[in-house]
Amino acid sequence: MRASPDDHLTIGEIIRRTGVPASALHFYERKGLIFSERGSGNQRIFSRHMIRRISLIIVAKRLNIPLSHVAEVFTTLPTDRAPTHKDWQRVSRIWKRQLEERRRAIETLEQELTGCIGCGCLSLKACLLLNPDDALEGRGPGPVRLQEPNVALPDGPSTRQAT
Amino acid sequence: MRASPDDHLTIGEIIRRTGVPASALHFYERKGLIFSERGSGNQRIFSRHMIRRISLIIVAKRLNIPLSHVAEVFTTLPTDRAPTHKDWQRVSRIWKRQLEERRRAIETLEQELTGCIGCGCLSLKACLLLNPDDALEGRGPGPVRLQEPNVALPDGPSTRQAT
DNA sequence: ATTTGACCTCAACCACAGTTGAGCTGATGG
DNA sequence: CCATCAGCTCAACTGTGGTTGAGGTCAAAT
């Protein structure tokens, strides 16, 4: 185990401390989420405070926040030192709002679905579930074109990753 | 506009009635979610009740239900006629439960995040957000391997796992 | 001297849910 | 007679979040 000065960590040490595999760290670096200097043999040398960024990424993953958004908020973070407590509060409040939005979207869907269970019509003209934006006002009679809008609601964790 | 008997629809008619583009319909067919016979010129000919299946797919998309799961529940649906109201109720109740699960997962995250905003430690040893399964009981001191639900040794050889 | 361990790069691949385009057939209309 | 439309197939591509493997380098240990 090669010893590094306390604020210069090899990728191996980062892996041991964070549990994030090298492939993912490489990937994050390519995406600009983290960065490193290089040592004599071209090895990555990470600043100690990079661990904080990686922690943020881990949290974002748990919250199902896409890395593109993480990259966005990372542009508002200091690059030369660890994010402060204030930084963390700012970011986490943004993420909390996103969770709230997602929860509300799900609640809305739950209500619609509950209403539709009894009905069961799945009418292409009238069903709320099939016509999210109730955009069928003022379109003449006849079949209605569906799913135009670009409502993208990020979903919760459950349905994937059957490890 | 070629007229079809009332219960045999061309893909163009399906598109007009459902709004689902041909590429998606082809895709669903490849996945076994829908099926068709073929006409003289190899065109798809859909049964009228196939529209119901497509409606189900549209609903599942809104609910962020993966197609693989839709395929699963479709195996329990009749192939020779439209799903009955009872079928719809059964399926939609399953989906409702999935929404509930997702909502609860988000609520849990919201609570953890709220707790962590004030704290802001993001400690690799103690933070709830970083250690979802609070699996750090009974470990010795020192850095803790993260995001591995059941396999974790603080100082063992590096364990590799695919998520 | 050689073998191991740690690290590097780059390319290819996974699932998901399709889209896009090329190149084809077959029926219809002017 | 030819254009155009509706449809077909198949291959390649999109974006997200990485993983896997091949092949190379460097330093330490045997």
Side-chain angles (χ1 to χ4, degrees):
Chain A
M1 190 180 298
R2 85 189 49 173
S4 317
D6 206 34
D7 54 340
H8 284 141
L9 308 175
T10 66
I11 199 170
E13 285 164 329
I14 298 280
I15 291 167
R16 273 191 297 282
R17 276 169 173 64
T18 64
V20 176
S23 60
L25 294 171
H26 290 167
F27 181 75
Y28 297 152
E29 199 182 68
R30 275 205 304 287
K31 290 282 171 180
L33 293 171
I34 60 176
F35 38 89
S36 58
E37 291 157 58
R38 295 306 176 103
S40 60
N42 196 33
Q43 321 97 311
R44 285 168 179 82
I45 296 176
F46 291 95
S47 294
R48 182 167 191 71
H49 65 255
M50 204 49 71
I51 289 182
R52 285 299 180 146
R53 284 194 165 225
I54 296 168
S55 299
L56 271 280
I57 296 172
I58 294 171
V59 168
K61 265 169 59 89
R62 274 212 74 203
L63 305 183
N64 264 296
I65 306 281
L67 289 189
S68 58
H69 176 77
V70 178
E72 230 172 87
V73 310
F74 273 16
T75 64
T76 71
L77 252 44
T79 55
D80 56 332
R81 51 175 174 75
T84 65
H85 188 214
K86 260 187 94 167
D87 288 324
W88 161 242
Q89 288 200 324
R90 184 168 42 75
V91 170
S92 54
R93 273 199 266 263
I94 292 173
W95 291 352
K96 185 164 181 274
R97 271 196 294 280
Q98 299 205 349
L99 285 185
E100 281 166 14
E101 272 171 45
R102 249 141 70 183
R103 176 172 46 77
R104 273 198 283 274
I106 288 183
E107 282 166 358
T108 303
L109 284 176
E110 274 188 88
Q111 278 163 30
E112 287 178 32
L113 185 53
T114 300
C116 283
I117 287 177
C119 163
C121 68
L122 293 184
S123 158
L124 293 175
K125 292 188 296 207
C127 181
L128 250 182
L129 274 175
L130 287 165
N131 302 280
D133 51 342
D134 57 30
L136 42 125
E137 304 303 319
R139 311 269 195 102
V144 169
R145 164 150 265 107
L146 304 176
Q147 58 179 199
E148 296 282 5
N150 38 4
V151 208
L153 23 125
D155 65 0
S158 72
T159 48
R160 252 184 112 265
Q161 38 193 269
T163 48
Chain B
M1 192 177 295
R2 87 191 43 176
S4 316
D6 207 32
D7 54 341
H8 284 143
L9 308 175
T10 65
I11 199 171
E13 285 164 330
I14 298 279
I15 292 168
R16 274 191 297 282
R17 277 168 173 63
T18 65
V20 176
S23 60
L25 294 171
H26 290 167
F27 180 75
Y28 298 152
E29 199 182 66
R30 275 203 305 286
K31 290 283 170 182
L33 294 171
I34 59 177
F35 38 89
S36 59
E37 290 157 59
R38 295 305 177 105
S40 60
N42 196 35
Q43 322 97 311
R44 284 168 181 81
I45 296 176
F46 293 94
S47 292
R48 184 171 190 67
H49 65 257
M50 203 52 69
I51 290 183
R52 283 299 179 145
R53 285 195 165 225
I54 296 168
S55 298
L56 270 281
I57 296 172
I58 294 172
V59 168
K61 267 169 58 91
R62 275 213 73 203
L63 306 183
N64 264 294
I65 305 281
L67 289 190
S68 57
H69 176 78
V70 178
E72 231 171 87
V73 310
F74 273 17
T75 65
T76 72
L77 252 45
T79 55
D80 56 331
R81 52 173 175 75
T84 65
H85 189 216
K86 259 188 96 167
D87 288 324
W88 161 242
Q89 288 199 325
R90 183 169 42 76
V91 170
S92 55
R93 275 199 267 264
I94 293 173
W95 292 352
K96 185 163 180 273
R97 272 197 293 280
Q98 300 205 351
L99 285 185
E100 281 166 13
E101 270 172 46
R102 250 143 70 182
R103 176 172 45 75
R104 274 197 283 274
I106 288 184
E107 283 167 356
T108 303
L109 284 175
E110 274 188 86
Q111 279 163 28
E112 286 178 33
L113 186 53
T114 301
C116 283
I117 288 177
C119 163
C121 68
L122 291 184
S123 158
L124 292 176
K125 292 187 296 205
C127 181
L128 249 183
L129 274 175
L130 287 164
N131 301 279
D133 50 340
D134 57 28
L136 44 120
E137 304 303 319
R139 310 281 196 81
V144 169
R145 164 151 268 109
L146 303 176
Q147 51 176 207
E148 307 211 6
N150 25 30
V151 190
L153 297 179
D155 48 1
S158 74
T159 35
R160 191 50 78 88
Q161 94 165 7
T163 47

